[in-house]
Amino acid sequence: MKFFVDTADVAEIKDLASTGLLDGVTTNPSLMAKAGRPYLEVLREICEAVDGPVSAEVTATDVEAMLAEGRHLAKISDNIAVKVPLTVDGLKACKAL
């Protein structure tokens, strides 16, 4: 079993990571908005706090923009896992890679 926390609260993530039990972090645009801080800044901090995968969901809605945003997000850290919405364009973006 793996333990992933679904949050964008960096303090909470660091606290959980200190237990040695946290395998990764999942986020989404609404969780990031609740953080009240710049999206990319929060993602960088989360990636520094955990060794495992950190999901980062694109906010774009069309294929080309999803691909561009996903590539940009992936450059933040080696442990970023890019998520796309389960839409027709999201599926097309997955197939394009």
Side-chain angles (χ1 to χ4, degrees), residues 26-90:
T26 61
T27 66
N28 63 50
S30 61
L31 290 172
M32 288 299 214
K34 288 179 187 176
R37 298 177 44 222
Y39 184 69
L40 299 180
E41 180 181 300
V42 174
L43 273 178
R44 281 186 192 95
E45 287 183 27
I46 293 171
C47 289
E48 290 172 3
V50 299
D51 294 326
V54 175
S55 70
E57 187 172 340
V58 299
T59 57
T61 57
D62 65 272
V63 176
E64 291 307 316
M66 284 182 197
L67 291 171
E69 186 179 351
R71 289 182 180 115
H72 180 72
L73 291 172
K75 289 179 184 177
I76 292 172
S77 177
D78 289 339
N79 58 337
I80 288 281
V82 176
K83 294 192 313 186
V84 296
L86 185 55
T87 62
V88 172
D89 278 351

